[in-house]
Amino acid sequence: QVQLVESGGGLVQAGGSLRLSCTASGYTFSNYAMGWFRQAPGKEREFVAAISRGGINRYYADSVKGRFTISRDNAKNTVYLQMNSLKPEDTAVYYCAANPVPSTRVAYEYWGRGTQVTVSS
């Protein structure tokens, strides 16, 4: 059974950093692009970042460019999201997802349950 498990969320002050991890199982990790999405209370889920199967191509929402970095370690079946210079508006539940190709849309095949990131001011 496919499982995506996020970790690394928490409470940080504005300007701080967090690194999220998502460990996958139940499918061939290296055959799938991975993405990060987030959803704040009362808002739609939105694209944050994506990475291609081999980790060469990376894509970011304009709101996080220059602050967030997505990476993956196929040997560990893990995708990461390094978040720097965090802002209160980054507060959301962050989800990792898997798809055959990277996409900015939410129609990914597999999803984790999410991890809470809260940025205080």
Side-chain angles (χ1 to χ4, degrees):
Q1 185 174 2
V2 171
Q3 286 189 305
L4 302 175
V5 181
E6 302 95 338
S7 62
L11 174 65
V12 297
Q13 296 182 30
S17 299
L18 282 175
R19 188 179 74 158
L20 305 183
S21 299
C22 173
T23 299
S25 61
Y27 70 99
T28 303
F29 183 77
S30 60
N31 285 350
Y32 282 74
M34 299 295 295
W36 286 97
F37 295 78
R38 66 188 183 188
Q39 188 167 23
K43 294 188 175 182
E44 297 293 318
R45 191 168 300 185
E46 67 176 359
F47 169 77
V48 176
I51 188 167
S52 60
R53 291 173 294 175
I56 301 301
N57 297 313
R58 296 170 169 85
Y59 311 89
Y60 298 95
D62 288 343
S63 59
V64 306
K65 283 182 180 177
R67 299 189 298 122
F68 291 10
T69 302
I70 189 170
S71 62
R72 67 190 295 162
D73 186 340
N74 285 350
K76 296 182 178 179
N77 284 6
T78 300
V79 62
Y80 305 93
L81 186 69
Q82 178 67 47
M83 304 185 294
N84 298 327
S85 301
L86 283 162
K87 304 174 181 179
E89 51 263 45
D90 295 318
T91 295
V93 176
Y94 283 70
Y95 301 88
C96 70
N99 205 55
V101 296
S103 175
T104 61
R105 297 180 179 270
V106 298
Y108 275 52
E109 289 192 0
Y110 306 126
W111 291 85
R113 287 190 170 188
T115 185
Q116 177 70 48
V117 172
T118 302
V119 184
S120 65
S121 60

